[in-house]
Amino acid sequence: MNEDQRQEDRRQAEWAVVESDIGPLLLATTGTGLVTVGFHATDDVRDRTLDRLGSRLGAEPVRAPRSPLLAEAIRQLAEYFAGERREFALALDWSLISGFNRQVLRELATGVPYGSVVGYGDLARRVGQPRAAQAVGIAMGANPLPVVVPCHRVVESDGGIGGFGGGLETKRQLLALEGVLPQPLF
C-alpha cells in the first residue's frame, strides 16, 4: 500500500447510528479515530451530517454498523450511559476543528473531568485568552465530538446552564447522569 492509499484510508469515514439514553447518535470514525458524534440522528439530520462530513473529508462516508473501528466507541458510550464509565479512552480525529477551537476543546477533554463543570470564561482563561468567553461558546457549538469531548460540562458563570447544540434537555440529561444536576422527574 502506497502513502496516497494510506492517507485516503485515514480520511475515509465509517459510520453508524446507535441508540442512547439521549436519542439516536450518529458516530463516524476514520483510520485516525472518532471524528463525529451527532445528536438526534433522524434520517434528515443523519443525511445532512454525512454530507458535511464527506465534504470536509473529501470522501463519502460508508455505513458500517459492524465496523471494528466503531466498535470501541459504541462500547464506551454504552458504558458511559450505563453509569459505568467516567472518561473515554478513544483515539480522536481532530481534523474537523483547528486553531483556537481545537485548543479549547482539547483543554475541555483533558481538564474538565466527569461530574464537574467549568464556566465559559474559566475555560477561556485556561487557554490563555481571558477575554474570549464568547469565542469559547462558539468553540462549544463547533464541537464535532460532543459527549466524548464534554461540551455539556461548560456552563454560564452565573449558574445558568448555557446553550447546547444537542438541546438544553439533552444537556440537562447528561449533567444529571454525571451527578451535577438532579435526575429529571419524568
Side-chain angles (χ1 to χ4, degrees):
M1 180 183 297
N2 65 33
E3 182 57 34
D4 288 339
Q5 183 62 45
R6 280 192 294 274
Q7 183 70 13
E8 186 176 312
D9 287 349
R10 285 192 295 271
R11 304 308 324 139
Q12 178 66 57
E14 294 181 343
W15 66 273
V17 173
V18 298
E19 288 303 318
S20 78
D21 290 359
I22 56 173
L25 298 173
L26 182 142
L27 306 179
T29 189
T30 65
T32 302
L34 189 67
V35 70
T36 296
V37 175
F39 291 116
H40 314 298
T42 61
D43 291 348
D44 288 344
V45 170
R46 179 200 64 213
D47 292 347
R48 283 193 309 271
T49 302
L50 292 171
D51 285 346
R52 278 193 312 270
L53 183 61
S55 173
R56 299 278 309 273
L57 295 178
E60 185 175 335
V62 175
R63 185 175 181 271
R66 299 196 194 325
S67 165
L69 293 174
L70 286 168
E72 186 61 16
I74 292 168
R75 185 181 70 77
Q76 288 190 30
L77 280 161
E79 291 172 352
Y80 171 80
F81 286 112
E84 300 166 358
R85 175 170 290 277
R86 291 179 169 245
E87 64 183 57
F88 293 96
L90 296 169
L92 301 178
D93 181 336
W94 293 94
S95 65
L96 298 181
I97 197 121
S98 61
F100 177 78
N101 290 357
R102 183 187 290 191
Q103 182 183 9
V104 168
L105 291 172
R106 283 184 180 260
E107 172 60 29
L108 176 64
T110 60
V112 183
Y114 182 99
S116 64
V117 293
V118 66
Y120 294 95
D122 292 333
L123 196 51
R125 281 188 285 286
R126 287 185 186 194
V127 298
Q129 300 291 328
R131 293 195 168 112
Q134 285 185 325
V136 166
I138 292 168
M140 296 306 102
N143 182 4
L145 296 161
V147 181
V148 176
V149 177
C151 52
H152 61 276
R153 296 180 190 154
V154 183
V155 297
E156 294 174 349
S157 60
D158 66 3
I161 196 167
F164 193 63
L168 293 182
E169 185 54 36
T170 299
K171 186 171 187 172
R172 283 185 192 94
Q173 287 179 280
L174 292 169
L175 291 172
L177 172 69
E178 294 187 12
V180 176
L181 293 175
Q183 288 289 336
L185 296 174
F186 44 87

